[in-house]
Amino acid sequence: MRSAERHVVGAHYGLTDWLAQRVTAVVLACYTLALLAIVAWHGGLDHAAWRALWSHAAFKLATFVFAVALFWHAWVGVRNIVMDYVKPAGLRLAVQALTIALLVVYLGWTVQILFGGNA
């Protein structure tokens, strides 16, 4: 009699990826709705109102959280697409490494823009 053996093949991120996509999508939607509400409240944003909005640390922090959620959302989506459609392992690794490098650069650029000082 054979015992039931479980052979796990591949990464199988499954529930973690599904949850990450949903949570980050909610963060992205909330930020977008908040920004639209701010614009509607002010009847549009002129340059002075826009600068005043960006002078608040809370808005900068919310924008940073939005950016992190956006980059995480993008990473999960791109990684899943690459895992499904790029079959050669070397090419898949190269595309994933390039994606990670770009997202890290974008996150650094976001930090520089948000917290690097006013020019």
Side-chain angles (χ1 to χ4, degrees):
M1 185 177 230
R2 272 181 82 162
S3 65
E5 292 183 32
R6 184 172 176 203
H7 296 283
V8 179
V9 178
H12 297 287
Y13 295 100
L15 181 61
T16 304
D17 283 348
W18 181 87
L19 188 59
Q21 286 293 96
R22 274 46 183 193
V23 169
T24 56
V26 168
V27 170
L28 298 175
C30 288
Y31 179 87
T32 302
L33 291 174
L35 189 58
L36 290 173
I38 290 167
V39 171
W41 178 263
H42 290 285
L45 289 178
D46 60 4
H47 185 261
W50 189 247
R51 285 188 57 92
L53 180 62
W54 281 100
S55 69
H56 294 288
F59 187 73
K60 287 182 179 183
L61 180 61
T63 303
F64 178 72
V65 170
F66 171 84
V68 169
L70 177 65
F71 299 147
W72 189 3
H73 192 89
W75 164 244
V76 172
V78 170
R79 190 198 65 227
N80 288 342
I81 290 169
V82 169
M83 287 173 59
D84 286 346
Y85 295 107
V86 180
K87 296 304 178 186
L91 180 59
R92 183 171 54 236
L93 179 62
V95 171
Q96 288 179 335
L98 179 63
T99 302
I100 291 170
L102 284 172
L103 291 173
V104 168
V105 167
Y106 294 154
L107 186 60
W109 193 11
T110 301
V111 169
Q112 181 184 13
I113 291 168
L114 292 174
F115 305 109
N118 298 330

